[in-house]
Amino acid sequence: SVATEVLADAQVIVPLAGLFDAGAERARLEKEREQVLGQAHGLEAQLSNDRFLSAARPEVVESTRRRLEDARSKLAGVEARLAELG
């Protein structure tokens, strides 16, 4: 398998065969996915709690929303890497 990146003036192809243990990387990514999913679910629950939204300072609510966005972005990246592994 190879990693490919298309740049403005070139295409870079790096052979990956034998450079890493795909099974170990898949296991690591699956564990990371579960952790990020748990974090995202917890943040979603917090943001859907009317009591939290009414009692928390606006900057705390906004921080929680940003953390949820970050978790969703990280999850998308982990899932993309898992898809690349096949």
Side-chain angles (χ1 to χ4, degrees), residues 45 61 69:
V61 174
E69 287 177 28

PDB file of all heavy atoms in Angstrom, residues 45 61 69:
ATOM      1  N   ALA A  45     -24.731  15.308  25.376  1.00  0.00           N
ATOM      2  CA  ALA A  45     -25.689  15.193  26.473  1.00  0.00           C
ATOM      3  C   ALA A  45     -25.679  16.457  27.325  1.00  0.00           C
ATOM      4  O   ALA A  45     -26.733  16.965  27.733  1.00  0.00           O
ATOM      5  CB  ALA A  45     -25.371  13.965  27.327  1.00  0.00           C
ATOM      6  N   VAL A  61     -20.557  27.441  28.114  1.00  0.00           N
ATOM      7  CA  VAL A  61     -21.377  26.786  27.087  1.00  0.00           C
ATOM      8  C   VAL A  61     -20.651  26.833  25.749  1.00  0.00           C
ATOM      9  O   VAL A  61     -20.575  25.830  25.034  1.00  0.00           O
ATOM     10  CB  VAL A  61     -22.774  27.440  26.987  1.00  0.00           C
ATOM     11  CG1 VAL A  61     -23.561  26.860  25.823  1.00  0.00           C
ATOM     12  CG2 VAL A  61     -23.542  27.272  28.290  1.00  0.00           C
ATOM     13  N   GLU A  69     -17.201  20.326  18.727  1.00  0.00           N
ATOM     14  CA  GLU A  69     -16.749  20.469  17.335  1.00  0.00           C
ATOM     15  C   GLU A  69     -15.388  19.818  17.142  1.00  0.00           C
ATOM     16  O   GLU A  69     -15.160  19.123  16.143  1.00  0.00           O
ATOM     17  CB  GLU A  69     -16.664  21.946  16.947  1.00  0.00           C
ATOM     18  CG  GLU A  69     -17.993  22.623  16.747  1.00  0.00           C
ATOM     19  CD  GLU A  69     -17.834  24.104  16.430  1.00  0.00           C
ATOM     20  OE1 GLU A  69     -16.792  24.497  15.869  1.00  0.00           O
ATOM     21  OE2 GLU A  69     -18.754  24.864  16.758  1.00  0.00           O
TER      22      GLU A  69
END
